[in-house]
Amino acid sequence: MKKWYQISTILLLLYVIVGGFLMPVPRLPIVNESIRNLYFHVPMWFGMTILLAISAYYSVQYLRKGTESLDDHAVESVNTAVLYGLLGLSTGAIWANYTWGAPWNGDPQQTMAAIGILIYVAYLVLRGAINDPLRRARVSAVYNLYAFAVFIPLIFVLPRYTDSLHPGKGGNPAFSQYDLDNTMRMVFYPAVIGWTMLAWWITKLAVRVRQLKRKQEEIQAHRQIQIEENT
Amino acid sequence: MKRLFYSLCLWLFAVLPSWAQGNEVEMADALRANGKIYVVVAVLATIFLGIVLYLVSIDRKVKKLMKD
């Protein structure tokens, strides 16, 4: 990862944490100060969705070109996205506990998000079930595209058709003037960018580990062959 | 010994609040106790812990690779 990337990620998140706790927010009943969770809980979902889009892109590229590194990027993006999804789910449960009265309310958005995460956990399980690396990469790339095609309507379309505790549901657009005022946008957009950049940073690290591991296994296999040839 | 320890603890819990009431330094906790700011703190702590744990696991993998 380039240095400018790391520095700008850290600066953005530092701004988000300081600004997120100290900048003025609208005074609303029930949510009170917890409205500031918008800068931390919501970017988890944005980051997850952006990473899943990146993963789908890499899967398409893999199917076109068949380079192993493209498959590595696709898997590790999903790994980080699932981490973000789990964090989004658990932080949402904390927030819901104090504003909606219970950690789990069977809210359509909550349920769909949980299903979305499970679809991607199935992707990881599917990969674990296939031993041949070429077949694993190809089959999981195709599954990944299907998963993304299901995930988007599950999260962004279906919950809007029903009543939900989340803002912007029941036919209303999300992030209208009632949910988000202009000072909040000044922290919210950098928050989405910052948390997503952090996710990509983590993903690139994990990709590096995966590739080093493969190289190591190749070297060991090579040595094994040499030893067998010598004896 | 044990009983002495417990009674000391009990005494501390009983007496400390009354000491605290003595000095009236206004801190942020009193200001925001009902403002649900601690919900945000809990959320941020959860996210931070989750990401740090994941990074530690990646770091362990790198160290293991470096060793071999």
Side-chain angles (χ1 to χ4, degrees), chain A residues 10-145:
Chain A
I10 292 167
L11 285 181
L12 267 174
L13 286 179
L14 212 61
Y15 165 71
V16 166
I17 289 168
V18 174
F21 275 95
L22 298 180
M23 300 248 292
V25 289
R27 289 175 169 267
L28 298 175
I30 303 172
V31 284
N32 308 81
E33 292 274 7
S34 80
I35 196 170
R36 295 177 191 277
N37 275 340
L38 183 86
Y39 310 135
F40 309 115
H41 160 76
V42 182
M44 292 295 116
W45 297 109
F46 276 74
M48 181 192 191
T49 310
I50 293 167
L51 244 70
L52 291 178
I54 291 173
S55 176
Y57 167 79
Y58 274 108
S59 281
V60 170
Q61 289 299 310
Y62 178 79
L63 289 174
R64 288 178 60 195
K65 294 175 186 161
T67 318
E68 224 166 11
S69 153
L70 295 168
D71 183 51
D72 295 337
H73 280 81
V75 198
E76 292 303 346
S77 301
V78 168
N79 264 334
T80 321
V82 167
L83 171 77
Y84 265 46
L86 292 175
L87 288 174
L89 213 59
S90 47
T91 55
I94 296 172
W95 197 1
N97 196 20
Y98 295 102
T99 49
W100 299 343
W104 198 268
N105 297 281
D107 175 75
Q109 184 96 337
Q110 260 181 336
T111 315
M112 298 299 180
I115 293 171
I117 291 171
L118 284 178
I119 288 172
Y120 277 97
V121 170
Y123 166 83
L124 298 172
V125 172
L126 174 74
R127 291 188 65 93
I130 305 175
N131 278 328
D132 176 18
L134 275 177
R135 233 170 84 85
R136 173 172 57 214
R138 224 162 346 120
V139 170
S140 63
V142 174
Y143 178 90
N144 192 15
L145 295 180

Side-chain angles (χ1 to χ4, degrees), chain A residues 188-202:
Chain A
F188 178 65
Y189 294 143
V192 169
I193 297 167
W195 289 109
T196 307
M197 282 174 81
L198 181 70
W200 183 242
W201 184 356
I202 295 170

